[in-house]
Amino acid sequence: EESPASRLLIDIAVPPDIDPRVSELPGVVLADMEDLREQAHQNEAQRAQAIKLAEEITGEELERLGPWPLPFHIDRFASHLGELADQICQGEIERLFASLPELTEPQKAVIKSQMERLAERMILAPRRNMRTHRAIRSCPNAARCLAELFATDCGSRAANTNPHGNRK
């Protein structure tokens, strides 16, 4: 015994070649390009829903698991960024004090403390964000991108620059 739709005819010609009346015959199903297009749209919509559901489930599970361990390269760069800021700050303090020899030691201490505080505050948010932002922590090129952004050598890129700061 044959099933109700034992023949499937697919007409991919534009305009259609198969007479639409064949679908009136028992056990015959006719599909044309418009039917195939509609099925493709339905499949696309189902895939989009499945992707959305998968992203929601993944997001919930990631939240439940808590923060991922910090990759070594990001942690190393965050530490290096602090060292770099301190080096820049100390260099500027030395230049300032050399240009103003009349400053007293208490004045120098206040200026040094304020400049060090300013340098730390300027890098606090970037360091915190690079240590906590999920996309940065999971990107294998994050340290290199951050090094390029901050124009520093943190061991993640070659220090191939000439004295004018251009890459060789």
Side-chain angles (χ1 to χ4, degrees):
E1 183 173 291
E2 293 187 31
S3 64
S6 61
R7 301 274 190 255
L8 172 63
L9 302 175
I10 301 175
D11 189 352
I12 60 172
V14 178
D17 287 337
I18 301 175
D19 188 328
R21 291 180 295 178
V22 299
S23 62
E24 296 171 10
L25 297 172
V28 176
V29 174
L30 174 63
D32 61 12
M33 289 299 288
E34 188 58 38
D35 296 326
L36 296 176
R37 207 174 281 117
E38 178 60 33
Q39 186 63 51
H41 288 301
Q42 288 176 8
N43 291 346
E44 186 177 6
Q46 288 174 346
R47 283 192 307 274
Q49 287 177 331
I51 288 170
K52 184 177 178 183
L53 178 61
E55 287 173 342
E56 289 173 7
I57 291 170
T58 302
E60 290 170 6
E61 289 301 312
L62 287 172
E63 289 299 318
R64 190 175 65 78
L65 289 172
W68 290 76
L70 189 64
F72 174 73
H73 65 286
I74 298 296
D75 191 42
R76 185 179 70 217
F77 181 78
S79 296
H80 181 76
L81 186 59
E83 293 166 9
L84 177 67
D86 186 55
Q87 289 171 2
I88 292 170
C89 181
Q90 295 307 318
E92 292 302 313
I93 289 170
E94 289 174 18
R95 278 189 277 289
L96 178 66
F97 291 170
S99 70
L100 298 169
E102 68 275 8
L103 291 174
T104 65
E105 289 304 314
Q107 290 172 327
K108 287 181 180 180
V110 169
I111 291 170
K112 182 178 181 183
S113 171
Q114 290 300 308
M115 287 184 70
E116 288 172 347
R117 184 169 177 250
L118 176 63
E120 180 60 32
R121 290 189 68 198
M122 288 179 73
I123 64 162
L124 181 65
R127 287 175 72 186
R128 180 181 55 238
N129 291 343
M130 73 178 67
R131 286 182 162 143
T132 59
H133 196 277
R134 185 174 291 131
I136 292 172
R137 291 191 335 238
S138 62
C139 176
N141 296 320
R144 180 183 172 144
C145 293
L146 291 166
E148 293 290 334
L149 176 67
F150 287 99
T152 179
D153 176 22
C154 69
S156 16
R157 71 178 179 134
N160 290 338
T161 56
N162 65 27
H164 304 292
N166 300 325
R167 303 275 302 171
K168 288 185 181 176

